[in-house]
Structures are given as structure tokens and as C-alpha cells.
Amino acid sequence: MSDPISTFFDAWQLESASVRLEKITSAVTASIQYDDPRTPNTLSGIDALAEYVGMFSANAPGWSAKVIARDTTAGMTRVTV
């Protein structure tokens, strides 16, 4: 069984918005805060995160994400994809 972080990044390759949202929802809490080098601000909430992942996925068809490394500090998990 996948851990929530791997499940979340598995969602990045899904074309179906509803399936992608379902996978993201199963992996994160409603109060998720997500920082990405490609966003100017922190994304807050599942809807904002799912919209971003969908936009990114639409611009990179066939692309997939794989967790290479991770660490947790101060209650936050940082992932190298």
C-alpha cells in the first residue's frame, strides 16, 4: 500500500480531473498547505491544490512524478520528485 505522499504524487499523471481529485483527497488533509517552486504563494486547501496539479498535468502530458527523497522537519515534509 502506498503512503500518502506517494499517493499524492501518483495523482500528477492522471488525466481525469475527478479521479485526480479523489486521489489527492485521499492523500492530504482539508487544511493542506503546499509550497512549490513554481508558485508565488502557498497553495491552501484541496481545491487549490487539485487545480494546480491539473494545470501542471495538462501542460506536461505523459509526465509522471516519483518520490526520490524526503525528510521531515518542524512538522513539514519536504520531497524531492
Side-chain angles (χ1 to χ4, degrees), residues 45-73:
I46 292 173
D47 290 336
L49 182 56
E51 182 179 325
Y52 173 71
V53 172
M55 180 179 59
F56 188 90
S57 298
N59 290 310
W63 184 84
S64 63
K66 180 180 177 186
V67 176
I68 304 299
R70 76 177 91 194
D71 65 344
T72 301
T73 184

Side-chain angles (χ1 to χ4, degrees), residues 10-76:
D10 288 346
W12 287 62
Q13 63 189 343
L14 299 173
E15 292 183 25
S16 168
S18 61
V19 175
R20 187 172 47 250
L21 176 61
E22 184 178 313
K23 190 163 277 267
I24 291 171
T25 300
S26 76
V28 303
T29 65
S31 60
I32 183 75
Q33 292 189 330
Y34 181 80
D35 287 305
D36 190 292
R38 298 175 185 266
T39 61
N41 300 307
T42 300
L43 300 173
S44 297
I46 292 173
D47 290 336
L49 182 56
E51 182 179 325
Y52 173 71
V53 172
M55 180 179 59
F56 188 90
S57 298
N59 290 310
W63 184 84
S64 63
K66 180 180 177 186
V67 176
I68 304 299
R70 76 177 91 194
D71 65 344
T72 301
T73 184
M76 299 184 79

